[in-house]
């Protein structure tokens, strides 16, 4: 059963992806033995397609999950997707627009149908991509935030919080996107520094021959001013106490109020107050019972309240207001000023602070237990410093605006009565008003913020509010792995909701991973054009290489740099493993192999040195890798495995074993040990490179009682009995001798076909090892070795290499050096001739005119080769002369 010559992951990866799915390898079983390890996926948006950030996150999660599963834990990775309110609605609206339609034209019910149809058609993209890249989720438990079960959980939580007075409806200043036509939470507003102006405007004081100057970055809002505030302690304005000003352009008399909102140190010390269009002014207005005059509407246009400016776009109104003030001599000055401009995260339209009626969650009472859970260690952040960021936010938390003016999402379970104007909040859709019995009720048109349902994800996906077996077994989940960008959007809310609804934490550990960056350490983004498309690189190099490259760079706390070079080198690693396997498959004696058992005897003191060494290294590797994965140190796990597989197993162990294998010898102890190590190494590597390891493992002769997949085979553990420091030291000495000899050969440019005669001097263990392992050393370094267990005599001549650490000196005697010198001299002579020949041909114009281009090209190439060889030979000769 030989292996294909070339490592072609494209040939077998899709096969195993499907096979894992079909054979239920990743399915969690309630009654399975072992400790429970559960994790709910950060649900990707249904609008999503796998990007490199997902691929990185899922590679980390998958490595951890696979490791737990192999350790025999009762392991569940619960997958699913988020309905992604705004994102999905925008996509479908764009589709409608292309058909010349608008959602309001087709109506709410029809629109929702369109979104579901879109979801059926395109919403599964990311799932297919996840399956293809080997994420070992239990797809039988797949959930969607708008599933009936999860929707029921959402209603349950809404009603409960409402009953406890933790959900209320109120007038509030919200960030409004005039384009998306919805309120945005603080977190959905991005702030950009932008060049702007500070306009200083004169407001004439009534009854006094003076004016007061106020400064603003948004002059159009002055049309809605209902007061001017001065600081009660500001001596400059004492004479203005109790007076009024005449609001320019609107000719409205408004009061001068005393309020701390005016900072005597800033500008003139007087500020305009616009309760309808600024959060601080809104609160100041509340303190002084000021009227709210809304001059900008929810589409960003000036309202009738804006008088002469009604109907204008807000930015056009700004220009007109400024021009009109200037014309009336009421503009004191204009100063350039950098403003922090809030924009809609989705569409980048500048947000407009507006007063509206929204639903809120009172977060303080929910935040307190959530803070305690992290303080007392029931939830642990890794890296730890994220806890600080979490606390800072939680201590300053503001009420959470949960209503969105969208059609796609969980509609708020509240019904407004047209007769008594009160609201009925209920789990089941009511037929009449709970207060007056009227049937003239209408459901609130808004839907809930997407993060409301994702905040329930760890328990709603397990069947809550029912006490299902899944919930009892897998909740609290063990771990959450996610990015810091959704620490507040999501992680904090899950903690609050989890504690409130279930009385327990939603997860015990939160590992916050890094960002994937390009070679210039730039965050990958579509606009920068530096995005590595995971599907493209997976197709090109194989999933395993991409996973290896990602995890190798995944040191906690630092961003990971992904380049194509990295993936290429990981592919070379995969290729190395493939070639090692190919050697084993080609050379092994297959008779009697079918029933092979692992070679436990290899760790006996009588076993060959390389076996005692290899099993000791294997045990250390298992120990390091397991601990690294357990501590989210994926880069350490990846690098340990790389070093072990390539530079110990392939470079040394297999090379030594090659000398031991004999033709037609059957399944010798040497073969058994080799197979044992190779099979264990595949299992060690499986969590990081699942496809390659499954492919090779399945093709190994099957030991009795083996599980159907390597994913279910036990993860190798460290074995104290296998640890053999003496063997490790001995192999180190052997490696040193071989390396010294190879360096000597390179110095002399020794003929690769000829063994070099050499002497080894050592008063230490090197002499003994060289005697016992003479055959291996001679073969590996191509030597004829003579060993002298003594200190090297003084004034030694010949080519020398020594290592004091191992007390050894390797010497090629003068006579041998002389032979080398002669060989090199002859070689340089030949090269000189060849070069002269080539040069002559290339000088011959007649020849050049006649010869085909190919021929001339190859002569030039050969000439370059000869010249390079000549240079090396001359250097080697020079080295021999010193
Ligand atoms: Zn928007
Ligand atoms: Zn009523």
């Amino acid at each position: 059963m030989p292996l294909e010559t070339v490592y072609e992951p494209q040939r077998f990866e899709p096969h195993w992806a499907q096979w894992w799915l079909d054979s239920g390898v990743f399915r969690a079983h309630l009654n399975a033995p072992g400790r429970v390890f559960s994790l709910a996926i950060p649900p990707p948006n249904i609008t999503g397609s796998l990007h490199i950030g997902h691929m990185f996150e899922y590679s980390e999660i998958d490595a951890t999950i696979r490791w737990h599963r192999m350790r025999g834990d009762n392991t569940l990775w619960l997958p699913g997707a988020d309905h992604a309110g705004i994102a999905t609605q925008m996509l479908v609206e764009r589709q409608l627009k292309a058909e010349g339609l608008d959602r309001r034209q087709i109506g709410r019910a029809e629109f929702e149908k369109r979104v579901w149809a879109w979801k059926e058609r395109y919403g599964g993209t990311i799932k297919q991509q996840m399956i293809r890249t080997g994420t070992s989720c239990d797809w039988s438990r797949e959930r969607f935030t708008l599933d009936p079960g999860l929707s029921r959980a959402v209603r349950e939580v809404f009603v409960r919080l409402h009953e406890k007075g933790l959900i209320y409806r109120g007038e509030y200043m919200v960030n409004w996107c005039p384009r998306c036509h919805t309120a945005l939470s603080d977190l959905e507003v991005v702030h950009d520094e932008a060049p702007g102006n500070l306009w200083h405007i004169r407001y004439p004081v009534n009854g006094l021959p003076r004016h007061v100057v106020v400064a603003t970055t948004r002059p159009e809002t002055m049309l809605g001013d209902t007061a001017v505030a001065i600081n009660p302690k500001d001596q400059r304005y004492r004479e203005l106490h109790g007076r009024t000003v005449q609001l320019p352009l609107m000719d409205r008399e408004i009061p001068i109020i005393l309020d701390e909102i005016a900072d005597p140190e800033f500008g003139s010390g007087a500020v305009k107050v616009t309760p309808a269009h600024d959060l601080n002014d809104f609160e100041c207005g509340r303190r002084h019972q000021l009227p709210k005059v809304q001059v900008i509407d929810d589409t960003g246009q000036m309202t009738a309240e804006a008088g002469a400016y009604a109907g204008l776009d807000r930015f056009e109104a700004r220009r007109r207001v400024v021009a009109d003030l200037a014309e009336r001599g009421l503009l004191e000055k204009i100063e350039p000023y950098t403003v922090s401009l809030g924009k809609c995260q989705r569409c980048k339209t500048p947000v407009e602070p507006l007063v509206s009626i929204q639903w809120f969650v009172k977060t303080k009472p929910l935040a307190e237990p959530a803070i305690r859970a992290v303080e007392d260690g029931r939830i642990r952040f890794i890296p730890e410093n994220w806890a600080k960021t979490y606390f800072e936010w939680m201590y300053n938390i503001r009420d959470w605006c949960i209503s969105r003016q969208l059609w796609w999402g969980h509609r708020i379970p509240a019904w407004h009565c047209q007769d008594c104007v009160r609201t009925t909040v209920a789990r089941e859709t009511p037929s009449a008003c709970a207060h007056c019995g009227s049937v003239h009720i209408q459901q609130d048109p808004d839907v809930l913020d997407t993060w409301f349902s994702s905040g329930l994800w760890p328990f709603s996906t397990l069947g809550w509010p029912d006490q299902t077996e899944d919930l009892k077994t897998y909740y609290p989940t063990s771990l959450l792995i996610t990015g810091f960008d959704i620490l507040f959007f999501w992680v904090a809310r899950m903690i609050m909701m989890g504690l409130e609804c279930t009385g327990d934490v939603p997860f015990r550990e939160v590992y916050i991973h890094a960002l994937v960056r390009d070679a210039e350490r730039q965050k990958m983004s579509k606009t920068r054009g530096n995005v590595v498309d995971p599907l493209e690189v997976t197709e090109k190099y194989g999933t395993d290489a991409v996973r290896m490259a990602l995890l190798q760079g995944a040191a906690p706390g630092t961003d990971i740099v992904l380049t194509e070079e990295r993936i290429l080198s990981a592919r070379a690693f995969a290729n190395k493993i493939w070639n090692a396997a190919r050697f084993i498959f080609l050379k092994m004696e297959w008779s009697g192999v079918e029933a092979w058992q692992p070679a436990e005897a290899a760790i006996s003191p009588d076993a060959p040195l390389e076996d005692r060494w290899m099993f000791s290294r294997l045990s250390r590797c298992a120990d390091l890798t397991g601990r690294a994965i357990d501590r989210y140190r994926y880069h350490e796990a990846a690098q340990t495995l790389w070093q072990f597989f390539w530079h110990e197993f392939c470079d040394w162990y297999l090379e030594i074993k090659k000398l031991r294998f004999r033709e037609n010898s059957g399944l010798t102890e040497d073969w058994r040990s080799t197979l044992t190590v190779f099979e264990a190494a595949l299992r060690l590597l499986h969590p990081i490179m699942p496809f390659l390891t499954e492919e090779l493992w399945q093709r190994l002769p099957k030991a009795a009682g083996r599980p159907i997949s390597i994913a279910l085979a036990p993860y190798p553990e460290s074995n104290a009995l296998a640890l053999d420091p003496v063997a490790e030291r001995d192999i180190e000495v052997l490696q040193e001798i071989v390396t010294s000899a190879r360096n000597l050969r390179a110095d002399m440019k020794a003929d690769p076909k000829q063994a070099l005669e050499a002497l080894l001097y050592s008063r230490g263990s090197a002499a003994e090892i060289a005697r016992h392992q003479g055959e291996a050393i001679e073969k590996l370094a191509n030597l004829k070795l003579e060993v002298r267990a003594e200190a090297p005599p003084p004034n030694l001549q010949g080519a020398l290499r020594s290592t004091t650490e191992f007390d050894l000196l390797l010497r090629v005697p003068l006579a041998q050096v002389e032979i080398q010198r002669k060989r090199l001299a002859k070689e340089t002579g030949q090269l000189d001739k060849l070069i002269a020949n080539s040069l002559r041909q290339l000088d011959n114009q007649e020849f050049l005119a006649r010869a085909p281009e190919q021929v001339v090209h190859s002569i030039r190439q050969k000439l370059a080769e000869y010249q390079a060889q000549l240079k090396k030979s001359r250097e080697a000769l020079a080295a021999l002369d010193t």
Side-chain angles (χ1 to χ4, degrees), residues 415-424 432-441:
W415 288 262
H416 305 298
C417 175
Q418 286 165 18
D419 294 326
C420 74
V421 201
R422 293 170 76 182
T423 300
T424 306
C433 170
H435 307 284
C436 74
S438 160
V439 293
H440 300 125
I441 54 170

PDB file of all heavy atoms in Angstrom, residues 415-424 432-441, ligand 2:
ATOM      1  N   TRP A 415     -47.174  45.175  23.331  1.00  0.00           N
ATOM      2  CA  TRP A 415     -48.321  45.602  22.531  1.00  0.00           C
ATOM      3  C   TRP A 415     -48.887  46.889  23.113  1.00  0.00           C
ATOM      4  O   TRP A 415     -49.170  46.959  24.314  1.00  0.00           O
ATOM      5  CB  TRP A 415     -49.369  44.487  22.510  1.00  0.00           C
ATOM      6  CG  TRP A 415     -48.949  43.318  21.664  1.00  0.00           C
ATOM      7  CD1 TRP A 415     -49.324  43.070  20.379  1.00  0.00           C
ATOM      8  CD2 TRP A 415     -48.052  42.260  22.030  1.00  0.00           C
ATOM      9  NE1 TRP A 415     -48.713  41.924  19.902  1.00  0.00           N
ATOM     10  CE2 TRP A 415     -47.925  41.405  20.898  1.00  0.00           C
ATOM     11  CE3 TRP A 415     -47.314  41.940  23.174  1.00  0.00           C
ATOM     12  CZ2 TRP A 415     -47.114  40.264  20.892  1.00  0.00           C
ATOM     13  CZ3 TRP A 415     -46.511  40.814  23.174  1.00  0.00           C
ATOM     14  CH2 TRP A 415     -46.420  39.984  22.042  1.00  0.00           C
ATOM     15  N   HIS A 416     -49.021  47.896  22.268  1.00  0.00           N
ATOM     16  CA  HIS A 416     -49.509  49.196  22.737  1.00  0.00           C
ATOM     17  C   HIS A 416     -51.018  49.277  22.503  1.00  0.00           C
ATOM     18  O   HIS A 416     -51.514  48.897  21.445  1.00  0.00           O
ATOM     19  CB  HIS A 416     -48.806  50.325  21.985  1.00  0.00           C
ATOM     20  CG  HIS A 416     -47.313  50.227  22.073  1.00  0.00           C
ATOM     21  ND1 HIS A 416     -46.626  50.300  23.266  1.00  0.00           N
ATOM     22  CD2 HIS A 416     -46.369  50.024  21.117  1.00  0.00           C
ATOM     23  CE1 HIS A 416     -45.330  50.161  23.038  1.00  0.00           C
ATOM     24  NE2 HIS A 416     -45.149  49.983  21.728  1.00  0.00           N
ATOM     25  N   CYS A 417     -51.723  49.778  23.516  1.00  0.00           N
ATOM     26  CA  CYS A 417     -53.183  49.865  23.450  1.00  0.00           C
ATOM     27  C   CYS A 417     -53.594  51.246  22.937  1.00  0.00           C
ATOM     28  O   CYS A 417     -53.115  52.265  23.424  1.00  0.00           O
ATOM     29  CB  CYS A 417     -53.775  49.631  24.837  1.00  0.00           C
ATOM     30  SG  CYS A 417     -55.561  49.858  24.879  1.00  0.00           S
ATOM     31  N   GLN A 418     -54.462  51.233  21.951  1.00  0.00           N
ATOM     32  CA  GLN A 418     -54.908  52.504  21.394  1.00  0.00           C
ATOM     33  C   GLN A 418     -55.908  53.194  22.313  1.00  0.00           C
ATOM     34  O   GLN A 418     -56.106  54.398  22.219  1.00  0.00           O
ATOM     35  CB  GLN A 418     -55.544  52.283  20.022  1.00  0.00           C
ATOM     36  CG  GLN A 418     -54.508  51.994  18.958  1.00  0.00           C
ATOM     37  CD  GLN A 418     -55.141  51.431  17.697  1.00  0.00           C
ATOM     38  OE1 GLN A 418     -56.339  51.550  17.469  1.00  0.00           O
ATOM     39  NE2 GLN A 418     -54.313  50.805  16.882  1.00  0.00           N
ATOM     40  N   ASP A 419     -56.555  52.406  23.181  1.00  0.00           N
ATOM     41  CA  ASP A 419     -57.585  53.003  24.023  1.00  0.00           C
ATOM     42  C   ASP A 419     -57.038  53.571  25.328  1.00  0.00           C
ATOM     43  O   ASP A 419     -57.249  54.738  25.638  1.00  0.00           O
ATOM     44  CB  ASP A 419     -58.689  51.969  24.300  1.00  0.00           C
ATOM     45  CG  ASP A 419     -59.422  51.630  23.001  1.00  0.00           C
ATOM     46  OD1 ASP A 419     -59.554  52.544  22.153  1.00  0.00           O
ATOM     47  OD2 ASP A 419     -59.825  50.462  22.821  1.00  0.00           O
ATOM     48  N   CYS A 420     -56.302  52.757  26.087  1.00  0.00           N
ATOM     49  CA  CYS A 420     -55.803  53.271  27.369  1.00  0.00           C
ATOM     50  C   CYS A 420     -54.352  53.730  27.267  1.00  0.00           C
ATOM     51  O   CYS A 420     -53.776  54.216  28.243  1.00  0.00           O
ATOM     52  CB  CYS A 420     -55.981  52.240  28.483  1.00  0.00           C
ATOM     53  SG  CYS A 420     -54.821  50.873  28.402  1.00  0.00           S
ATOM     54  N   VAL A 421     -53.746  53.555  26.081  1.00  0.00           N
ATOM     55  CA  VAL A 421     -52.380  54.009  25.808  1.00  0.00           C
ATOM     56  C   VAL A 421     -51.354  53.332  26.708  1.00  0.00           C
ATOM     57  O   VAL A 421     -50.255  53.849  26.902  1.00  0.00           O
ATOM     58  CB  VAL A 421     -52.266  55.560  25.889  1.00  0.00           C
ATOM     59  CG1 VAL A 421     -51.040  56.038  25.115  1.00  0.00           C
ATOM     60  CG2 VAL A 421     -53.498  56.242  25.333  1.00  0.00           C
ATOM     61  N   ARG A 422     -51.713  52.177  27.282  1.00  0.00           N
ATOM     62  CA  ARG A 422     -50.714  51.474  28.079  1.00  0.00           C
ATOM     63  C   ARG A 422     -50.166  50.303  27.270  1.00  0.00           C
ATOM     64  O   ARG A 422     -50.660  49.979  26.201  1.00  0.00           O
ATOM     65  CB  ARG A 422     -51.317  51.030  29.413  1.00  0.00           C
ATOM     66  CG  ARG A 422     -51.649  52.263  30.265  1.00  0.00           C
ATOM     67  CD  ARG A 422     -52.459  51.910  31.476  1.00  0.00           C
ATOM     68  NE  ARG A 422     -51.615  51.296  32.503  1.00  0.00           N
ATOM     69  CZ  ARG A 422     -52.111  50.854  33.661  1.00  0.00           C
ATOM     70  NH1 ARG A 422     -53.407  50.932  33.905  1.00  0.00           N
ATOM     71  NH2 ARG A 422     -51.306  50.320  34.566  1.00  0.00           N
ATOM     72  N   THR A 423     -49.123  49.676  27.812  1.00  0.00           N
ATOM     73  CA  THR A 423     -48.410  48.651  27.061  1.00  0.00           C
ATOM     74  C   THR A 423     -48.498  47.305  27.762  1.00  0.00           C
ATOM     75  O   THR A 423     -48.356  47.232  28.979  1.00  0.00           O
ATOM     76  CB  THR A 423     -46.936  49.069  26.896  1.00  0.00           C
ATOM     77  OG1 THR A 423     -46.906  50.299  26.188  1.00  0.00           O
ATOM     78  CG2 THR A 423     -46.141  48.032  26.127  1.00  0.00           C
ATOM     79  N   THR A 424     -48.746  46.264  26.975  1.00  0.00           N
ATOM     80  CA  THR A 424     -48.793  44.915  27.521  1.00  0.00           C
ATOM     81  C   THR A 424     -47.547  44.162  27.049  1.00  0.00           C
ATOM     82  O   THR A 424     -47.308  44.051  25.850  1.00  0.00           O
ATOM     83  CB  THR A 424     -50.052  44.165  26.994  1.00  0.00           C
ATOM     84  OG1 THR A 424     -51.194  44.968  27.291  1.00  0.00           O
ATOM     85  CG2 THR A 424     -50.186  42.787  27.615  1.00  0.00           C
ATOM     86  N   ALA A 432     -55.797  40.838  23.746  1.00  0.00           N
ATOM     87  CA  ALA A 432     -56.394  42.071  24.275  1.00  0.00           C
ATOM     88  C   ALA A 432     -55.443  42.754  25.236  1.00  0.00           C
ATOM     89  O   ALA A 432     -54.512  42.140  25.752  1.00  0.00           O
ATOM     90  CB  ALA A 432     -57.706  41.728  25.007  1.00  0.00           C
ATOM     91  N   CYS A 433     -55.686  44.037  25.475  1.00  0.00           N
ATOM     92  CA  CYS A 433     -54.857  44.819  26.382  1.00  0.00           C
ATOM     93  C   CYS A 433     -55.003  44.272  27.807  1.00  0.00           C
ATOM     94  O   CYS A 433     -56.118  44.026  28.272  1.00  0.00           O
ATOM     95  CB  CYS A 433     -55.307  46.290  26.348  1.00  0.00           C
ATOM     96  SG  CYS A 433     -54.559  47.314  27.626  1.00  0.00           S
ATOM     97  N   ALA A 434     -53.890  44.038  28.468  1.00  0.00           N
ATOM     98  CA  ALA A 434     -53.927  43.479  29.814  1.00  0.00           C
ATOM     99  C   ALA A 434     -54.476  44.484  30.819  1.00  0.00           C
ATOM    100  O   ALA A 434     -54.884  44.115  31.906  1.00  0.00           O
ATOM    101  CB  ALA A 434     -52.526  43.036  30.230  1.00  0.00           C
ATOM    102  N   HIS A 435     -54.516  45.760  30.458  1.00  0.00           N
ATOM    103  CA  HIS A 435     -54.948  46.797  31.411  1.00  0.00           C
ATOM    104  C   HIS A 435     -56.427  47.115  31.292  1.00  0.00           C
ATOM    105  O   HIS A 435     -57.113  47.221  32.282  1.00  0.00           O
ATOM    106  CB  HIS A 435     -54.113  48.071  31.209  1.00  0.00           C
ATOM    107  CG  HIS A 435     -52.632  47.792  31.249  1.00  0.00           C
ATOM    108  ND1 HIS A 435     -51.948  47.567  32.411  1.00  0.00           N
ATOM    109  CD2 HIS A 435     -51.724  47.646  30.240  1.00  0.00           C
ATOM    110  CE1 HIS A 435     -50.672  47.315  32.137  1.00  0.00           C
ATOM    111  NE2 HIS A 435     -50.516  47.359  30.824  1.00  0.00           N
ATOM    112  N   CYS A 436     -56.914  47.270  30.049  1.00  0.00           N
ATOM    113  CA  CYS A 436     -58.320  47.664  29.891  1.00  0.00           C
ATOM    114  C   CYS A 436     -59.132  46.661  29.088  1.00  0.00           C
ATOM    115  O   CYS A 436     -60.330  46.833  28.901  1.00  0.00           O
ATOM    116  CB  CYS A 436     -58.420  49.049  29.248  1.00  0.00           C
ATOM    117  SG  CYS A 436     -58.037  49.028  27.481  1.00  0.00           S
ATOM    118  N   GLY A 437     -58.491  45.595  28.594  1.00  0.00           N
ATOM    119  CA  GLY A 437     -59.232  44.577  27.864  1.00  0.00           C
ATOM    120  C   GLY A 437     -59.551  44.952  26.432  1.00  0.00           C
ATOM    121  O   GLY A 437     -60.143  44.169  25.695  1.00  0.00           O
ATOM    122  N   SER A 438     -59.120  46.109  26.008  1.00  0.00           N
ATOM    123  CA  SER A 438     -59.398  46.527  24.633  1.00  0.00           C
ATOM    124  C   SER A 438     -58.689  45.610  23.642  1.00  0.00           C
ATOM    125  O   SER A 438     -57.600  45.107  23.906  1.00  0.00           O
ATOM    126  CB  SER A 438     -58.925  47.973  24.428  1.00  0.00           C
ATOM    127  OG  SER A 438     -58.752  48.237  23.048  1.00  0.00           O
ATOM    128  N   VAL A 439     -59.329  45.381  22.510  1.00  0.00           N
ATOM    129  CA  VAL A 439     -58.674  44.550  21.491  1.00  0.00           C
ATOM    130  C   VAL A 439     -57.913  45.413  20.495  1.00  0.00           C
ATOM    131  O   VAL A 439     -57.312  44.902  19.566  1.00  0.00           O
ATOM    132  CB  VAL A 439     -59.691  43.649  20.747  1.00  0.00           C
ATOM    133  CG1 VAL A 439     -60.265  42.612  21.707  1.00  0.00           C
ATOM    134  CG2 VAL A 439     -60.787  44.493  20.102  1.00  0.00           C
ATOM    135  N   HIS A 440     -57.963  46.716  20.695  1.00  0.00           N
ATOM    136  CA  HIS A 440     -57.233  47.601  19.792  1.00  0.00           C
ATOM    137  C   HIS A 440     -55.783  47.741  20.228  1.00  0.00           C
ATOM    138  O   HIS A 440     -55.377  48.777  20.751  1.00  0.00           O
ATOM    139  CB  HIS A 440     -57.913  48.980  19.728  1.00  0.00           C
ATOM    140  CG  HIS A 440     -59.320  48.890  19.233  1.00  0.00           C
ATOM    141  ND1 HIS A 440     -60.395  49.390  19.930  1.00  0.00           N
ATOM    142  CD2 HIS A 440     -59.819  48.323  18.114  1.00  0.00           C
ATOM    143  CE1 HIS A 440     -61.509  49.137  19.269  1.00  0.00           C
ATOM    144  NE2 HIS A 440     -61.178  48.488  18.147  1.00  0.00           N
ATOM    145  N   ILE A 441     -55.062  46.657  20.055  1.00  0.00           N
ATOM    146  CA  ILE A 441     -53.653  46.692  20.446  1.00  0.00           C
ATOM    147  C   ILE A 441     -52.788  46.414  19.225  1.00  0.00           C
ATOM    148  O   ILE A 441     -53.207  45.739  18.288  1.00  0.00           O
ATOM    149  CB  ILE A 441     -53.338  45.670  21.563  1.00  0.00           C
ATOM    150  CG1 ILE A 441     -53.795  44.257  21.138  1.00  0.00           C
ATOM    151  CG2 ILE A 441     -53.963  46.076  22.874  1.00  0.00           C
ATOM    152  CD1 ILE A 441     -53.319  43.170  22.061  1.00  0.00           C
TER     153      ILE A 441
HETATM  154 ZN1  LIG B   2     -55.741  49.278  27.112  1.00  0.00          ZN
END
